[in-house]
Amino acid sequence: MVGAVRSLPLRAGDATGAAVGADGAELIDLIGALEELKSAIAGTQARAAIAFDLAQRRAQAAAGVPVGERGKGVGAQLALARRESPARGSRLLGLARALVTEMPHTMAALEAGQLSEWRATLLVRETACLSAADRCAVDDELAADTGTFDGAGDRTLIAAARAAAYRRDPRSVTERAAHAARDRHVSLRPAPDTMTYLTALLPVAQGVAVHAELTRHADTQRAAGDPRSRGQLMADALVERTTGTPGGFSRVEVQLIMTDRALFQGDSEPARLPGYGIVPAGWARDLLTQDKAKQQVWLRRLYTAPSSGELIAADSRARLFTAGQRRFLQARDHLCRTPYCDAPIRHYDHIIPWHANGPTSLANGAGLCEACNHTKDLDGWRATAPPSSNPGPIPGPSARHALTISTPTGHTYSSTAPPLPGSYQAPLPEDTLTQRRPATRRRTKAARQARPAEVFIA
């Protein structure tokens, strides 16, 4: 298959990486061959993941690790190698285990390029409630490697897998549906233009009831002459009924982080909203100034080093991080500091453990999600915080707090704390500075060294 890709008449590449000198049919052949190659690579990765899992379990058994503890940390190592989050790594390991050990036809279709990794995931997901023998029987019935799903969409594939699973074991499928309510949750994801996706996974009865009530409210308001659209009315009602206030703000800290220049001088440096990400400076100022009678605003200064942008604070001898230190780590790290993990911070962890004489300091602290914190404590895992470097008067990424994680196989992965708003300022051209009055140059230098201000809205 690789040879087929290489034999295509690609003679050069333009700035966008597209082939030059090939006609439309050749380009379509290339795209199709590359898609098959991607599937074959996914199959090879699945087999390599299972081999690595077995090797790790054997090594852990030889080290005397209890049976119930063997295999922990394998998904996290796979995630780092594939530049994925730890949660995604565990799912990929589960996918590989199902394909290699229980679904040979689906695995063969994946390796042959007849099935993408995503569509193989759908088949594995819809048969997850079955026993190994029943899952193998469904795999044999569907036989994806024979071209059963050629031309079929994802919905068709899911329906076929569900029907086959129900025929094989209707009780397990029914129980799975009954127990699905345990997975109900609410999540938040960033959306473009300072919007966000607030998603709720609910049992169907409750979900339909919530939607029906919001729809009824919107229709009532529209009939009374409200100019807002139905979608706007439903969204506003959801916020108001959840928070209990018309504007949606209650006595909850929002913890908006922005520079003093952006807050007081109209600077365009973007701000950062924990739990969301980067927001425009103008939007952040509007948030602070609208409906002042309905909200209270506090300013808390965060001091940064002018040359590096590194947050500055004193150590603590306490065993646990103080409330101020936890707030500091939240502002500095924003999300879990494990490479490729975007989970919210749940634990404030000592990089060098307390029992190994690690200080309770901001330099030795890191915000982690619960899963990554537990993984870090497994045998063979080690975390270090190299000293921050100072590359010069204009800070770069290496000037911020760094965290290095070493896995049991000896591989190392690093992450750097995200930059705070205003922590990097491009130098002005020298001729621009020389044409300004001395007082203006002094203000420019002071602006580059200004401290970000952390704004709490309640």
Side-chain angles (χ1 to χ4, degrees):
M1 189 174 302
V2 176
V5 173
R6 289 177 175 170
S7 67
L8 293 174
L10 300 181
R11 292 180 283 276
D14 61 11
T16 63
V20 175
D23 61 24
E26 291 171 337
L27 292 173
I28 288 297
D29 289 339
L30 170 63
I31 293 171
L34 290 174
E35 189 63 29
E36 293 180 1
L37 183 60
K38 284 164 57 180
S39 297
I41 290 173
T44 303
Q45 283 183 316
R47 293 195 182 277
I50 294 303
F52 176 70
D53 182 37
L54 293 175
Q56 287 288 286
R57 289 176 181 273
R58 284 195 293 265
Q60 291 170 354
V65 177
V67 175
E69 300 294 319
R70 296 173 192 171
K72 287 188 175 181
V74 172
Q77 294 187 70
L78 293 175
L80 289 169
R82 293 190 59 168
R83 296 176 174 85
E84 299 279 7
S85 69
R88 171 86 173 146
S90 297
R91 290 195 295 268
L92 290 170
L93 178 58
L95 171 66
R97 190 176 290 118
L99 290 174
V100 173
T101 63
E102 300 173 0
M103 304 183 72
H105 289 285
T106 304
M107 183 66 181
L110 181 64
E111 292 180 311
Q114 297 174 315
L115 203 66
S116 67
E117 185 179 34
W118 168 244
R119 290 165 71 82
T121 302
L122 295 178
L123 288 173
V124 170
R125 186 186 68 187
E126 295 304 324
T127 57
C129 61
L130 302 178
S131 65
D134 286 338
R135 174 181 263 176
C136 187
V138 170
D139 179 66
D140 186 64
E141 176 184 339
L142 299 178
D145 58 332
T146 63
T148 303
F149 299 112
D150 287 351
D154 288 352
R155 291 187 178 182
T156 302
L157 183 146
I158 292 172
R162 285 181 179 175
Y166 187 80
R167 286 193 299 269
R168 184 62 54 180
D169 189 353
R171 180 178 179 180
S172 294
V173 175
T174 303
E175 289 180 349
R176 175 185 178 181
H179 294 160
R182 294 179 300 185
D183 296 329
R184 62 188 183 277
H185 66 274
V186 177
S187 61
L188 188 72
R189 294 182 295 116
D193 304 323
T194 66
M195 301 294 283
T196 187
Y197 297 106
L198 177 65
T199 305
L201 179 63
L202 300 172
V204 63
Q206 284 85 342
V208 170
V210 170
H211 189 269
E213 173 57 25
L214 292 175
T215 301
R216 184 202 61 77
H217 170 78
D219 290 342
T220 301
Q221 295 299 108
R222 291 276 291 174
D226 196 308
R228 290 174 290 178
S229 67
R230 174 185 288 183
Q232 291 172 339
L233 286 165
M234 293 174 68
D236 293 344
L238 175 65
V239 172
E240 292 173 8
R241 296 186 184 193
T242 302
T243 63
T245 56
F249 290 114
S250 57
R251 293 191 62 83
V252 177
E253 289 188 349
V254 178
Q255 299 186 22
L256 176 69
I257 304 175
M258 62 192 304
T259 65
D260 51 3
R261 302 183 304 279
L263 179 60
F264 298 116
Q265 301 175 12
D267 193 86
S268 61
E269 177 70 30
R272 192 173 79 194
L273 189 63
Y276 177 83
I278 298 300
V279 295
W283 180 90
R285 284 192 296 270
D286 291 342
L287 180 65
L288 300 181
T289 56
Q290 65 183 359
D291 296 329
K292 290 183 178 180
K294 298 180 181 179
Q295 64 185 31
Q296 293 177 309
V297 178
W298 288 270
L299 298 183
R300 182 179 288 109
R301 289 177 295 182
L302 296 177
Y303 294 94
T304 60
S307 61
S308 66
E310 180 78 17
L311 284 175
I312 302 171
D315 291 350
S316 171
R317 297 185 179 181
R319 168 64 179 87
L320 300 176
F321 290 100
T322 65
Q325 288 175 317
R326 292 196 299 271
R327 185 181 291 113
F328 186 98
L329 293 175
Q330 175 69 59
R332 186 194 70 190
D333 295 344
H334 184 47
L335 296 171
C336 176
R337 284 292 300 279
T338 299
Y340 314 116
C341 184
D342 288 332
I345 293 174
R346 299 297 184 214
H347 291 182
Y348 298 93
D349 179 62
H350 291 74
I351 298 174
I352 300 175
W354 170 263
H355 59 75
N357 296 323
T360 305
S361 65
L362 296 171
N364 191 48
L368 300 176
C369 68
E370 183 176 358
C372 289
N373 190 26
H374 293 326
T375 298
K376 187 182 77 71
D377 291 333
L378 297 175
D379 290 340
W381 290 77
R382 186 169 60 90
T384 57
S388 298
S389 60
N390 187 351
I394 301 299
S398 61
R400 300 190 301 273
H401 186 269
L403 172 65
T404 299
I405 295 178
S406 301
T407 67
T409 58
H411 291 82
T412 59
Y413 304 87
S414 298
S415 74
T416 305
L420 284 176
S423 61
Y424 182 86
Q425 296 290 320
L428 293 174
E430 186 63 30
D431 56 349
T432 303
L433 291 178
T434 57
Q435 295 174 5
R436 297 189 178 190
R437 299 189 306 273
T440 304
R441 289 200 302 269
R442 285 195 296 273
R443 285 197 298 271
T444 301
K445 181 178 179 181
R448 288 202 304 268
Q449 296 182 352
R451 299 179 293 271
E454 183 175 7
V455 180
F456 293 85
I457 306 174

